Amino acid sequence: MTTSSPRPTGSRHRQVIAPVSPGSGTLRPLGIDDVRIDRGFWADRQALNHDAIVPHIAAWQERTGWTANFDRVVDGTVGKQRRGREFSDSEIYKLLEAMAWEIARSGDEALEDRYRGIVARVAAAQQSDGYLNTRFGNPGQPPRYTQLDWGHELYCYGHLFQAAVARLRTGHHDELVDVALRAADHVCDAFGPDGIQGVCGHAEIEPALVELYRATGEPRYLAQARLFLDRRGHRTLPDIEFGRAYFQDDVPILEATDLRGHAVRALYLSAGAVDAAVEQDDDALAEAVERQYVRALERRTYLTGGMGSHHQDEAFGDDYELPPDRAYCETCAGVASIMVAWRLLLRTGDLRYADVVERTLYNVVAASPREDGKAFFYTNPLQQRVAAQETDPDAVSPRAHAQLRAPWFEVSCCPPNVARTLAQLATYVATTSDDGVQLLQYAAGEVVARLGDGATVRLAVATRYPDDGVVAVTVVEAPDRPWDLTLRVPAWASGATVEARGEVTPAQQPGHVVGGLTAGDVVVLRLPMTPRWTHPDPRIDAVRGTVAVERGPLVLCAESVDLPDGVPLDSLCVDPMLPPRAEGDGAVVEGTSVMFAEPARSPYGPPPVPRSVRSVECRLVPYHRWANRGPSTMRVWLPTV
Ligand SMILES: [Zn+2]
């Protein structure tokens, strides 16, 4: 094993203890040491992550033999006895990243011990030149870098680097960091200007290399990320049944107009392109990605924030091709969309990207784990037509589109992606600028921010959001000079108000600015949490003639277990002239059950005549909670009468 070469200590800008720490931008992120989430929706999920999700993932990675693949490299048996798919190493790295953030958040020393135990096994499998993979390049396996299209070797490095960044940023230059730096140096040697002129079939190393550059100051990593970005789109990967768009290798990033192909690949690539553009002051590249992402938000995104309409290639569909029952909406695509939105938010200061983060967190990321943290959704459809079978708690699901949350998948990218996102969640709560603090996500806790001149602003946030819409922000510490507090006001929150210094004013979207605050001042934001009807763009043919109900940031859904006996969910119609009524964290709608005769030979013909019509009340629950009460049918979009 080689020793890593001396390298610059730290990059040219102050590092924030967060997964993304850009060298420049309109807004600056805060670290997980700057923000504490104490109580409520996200605190509960962070506790679940620590207590159940992370241990569950670690246990399944052992049980499936994926972690032991590293041991098999060492004892020479990996060629014959390797377990798991070609990218399973990445799931161990994602778990290590989740653990790294969680150790920093919780201070759990036992978790640190478990983390070190896995790292030692990973490190032992690294080759002397820095190469590290359990699927290629070992005796009895295909040679390294012979299957760039499907081999995922560079993709796996990407997740290794992100885990190393988490350790560096949380104050540990440990064994995993050394492993990652040796691997990164090896990648730069192997794929540099004079090296292999290729890219990985699955983007991911691009944002990871930029972040490793930011964390270490090593310019080779940024240059290598840019090389990978510039090489993509030049058809170095083979044509496949889904076309090269699947890999985003059909058109260079700068020339593309849409996000297309495999959704997670497209979004990780976009995140990396924004990162490189920010570090290289390349406005054209950043703006190209932003145009593509905004078009995807406008035309290729589900109400939940989910992305990906195709099951067969896990891909974006055409504009407005958003079928609810065939929605793929992979949990990882939700995580990746948050990554892109967050980077664009920091670069541009456009708070509407924090709306995207909120929508996707509540309705994709929060939907994935079961209430006990021991099963997950991989896909997140907006309609379930057939009630599923109970899942076997001891079985690995061979299907991504499991109809109930599954304990583990043959492709288990999503559970550790949820785990790392929950562990780093505090970094998405607020940002800072030279003259102010922007509160973006509402959770009870504390925010400490440093302004451009180093002055400290300390805020205490009291709220039960999203159970109710009242957010009280107390200024605990503030500088003696002017500064601004900006409260994000979501696009859905018409009628929101802000109370400051005894005066109530309409809240301005997307961010309401309050100046002149001193220690002891309290600002109260009131967001309307009355359930509301939401209508789809008529060009989304698959949901034309339907409406959905949202309450605050939560998309609601109807589940068969909430309907009276004898009323199938597909008979439910609603009248959008009757407002939905609030009930708990959901709503109740007055509906009609319209039943038709069974089709005779063909479901097509003259207008069907209802066989029976009856009034029903239907309770709607937050989408993120569906399928927690056993098998059910479910729908978000409800036909109108
Ligand atoms: Zn996934």
Side-chain angles (χ1 to χ4, degrees), residues 330 332 378 413-414:
E330 179 177 344
C332 287
Y378 185 117
C413 46
C414 299

Side-chain angles (χ1 to χ4, degrees), residues 108 203 255:
D108 183 342
E255 295 170 23

Side-chain angles (χ1 to χ4, degrees), residues 58-69:
W60 271 98
Q61 291 182 349
E62 289 291 355
R63 183 170 172 170
T64 49
W66 298 359
T67 316
N69 285 336

Side-chain angles (χ1 to χ4, degrees), residues 226-432:
R226 185 61 195 243
L227 261 183
F228 284 139
L229 291 163
D230 288 344
R231 276 181 197 157
R232 196 170 297 264
H234 293 284
R235 303 175 171 236
T236 63
L237 294 167
D239 202 2
I240 59 168
E241 61 179 317
F242 311 126
R244 287 193 179 91
Y246 175 87
F247 305 118
Q248 296 75 46
D249 196 34
D250 53 335
V251 180
I253 299 171
L254 272 169
E255 295 170 23
T257 53
D258 289 297
L259 293 187
R260 70 234 175 269
H262 188 276
V264 181
R265 284 166 163 82
L267 291 160
Y268 283 172
L269 183 70
S270 298
V274 176
D275 287 334
V278 166
E279 297 309 321
Q280 298 183 323
D281 299 322
D282 186 342
D283 291 345
L285 179 59
E287 287 163 10
V289 174
E290 185 167 18
R291 278 194 303 275
Q292 295 163 29
Y293 184 67
V294 168
R295 278 185 62 87
L297 291 175
E298 292 168 346
R299 295 168 172 82
R300 299 184 177 187
T301 303
Y302 284 93
L303 179 62
T304 52
M307 292 184 176
S309 311
H310 290 178
H311 279 236
Q312 67 168 7
D313 51 353
E314 305 186 304
F316 285 100
D318 292 338
D319 287 352
Y320 308 111
E321 182 192 354
L322 294 163
D325 47 355
R326 296 298 292 162
Y328 198 69
C329 292
E330 179 177 344
T331 303
C332 287
V335 169
S337 175
I338 291 168
M339 288 167 60
V340 178
W342 183 245
R343 284 156 171 79
L344 292 174
L345 170 93
L346 296 177
R347 179 179 182 274
T348 64
D350 186 341
L351 299 191
R352 289 175 298 180
Y353 290 119
D355 281 14
V356 178
V357 171
E358 174 177 70
R359 178 171 293 279
T360 313
L361 280 175
Y362 278 104
N363 301 296
V364 179
V365 174
S368 177
R370 198 169 61 197
E371 286 174 321
D372 65 0
K374 295 180 178 177
F376 303 85
F377 275 137
Y378 185 117
T379 60
N380 296 279
L382 280 73
Q383 180 174 6
Q384 181 71 45
R385 291 183 181 273
V386 179
Q389 302 290 313
E390 287 283 5
T391 47
D392 180 346
D394 285 317
V396 175
S397 173
R399 291 179 303 279
H401 49 284
Q403 295 165 339
L404 279 181
R405 293 171 181 86
W408 201 245
F409 301 90
E410 284 185 0
V411 177
S412 247
C413 46
C414 299
N417 234 344
V418 169
R420 67 177 183 148
T421 304
L422 291 176
Q424 64 193 214
L425 204 61
T427 67
Y428 299 116
V429 167
T431 50
T432 184

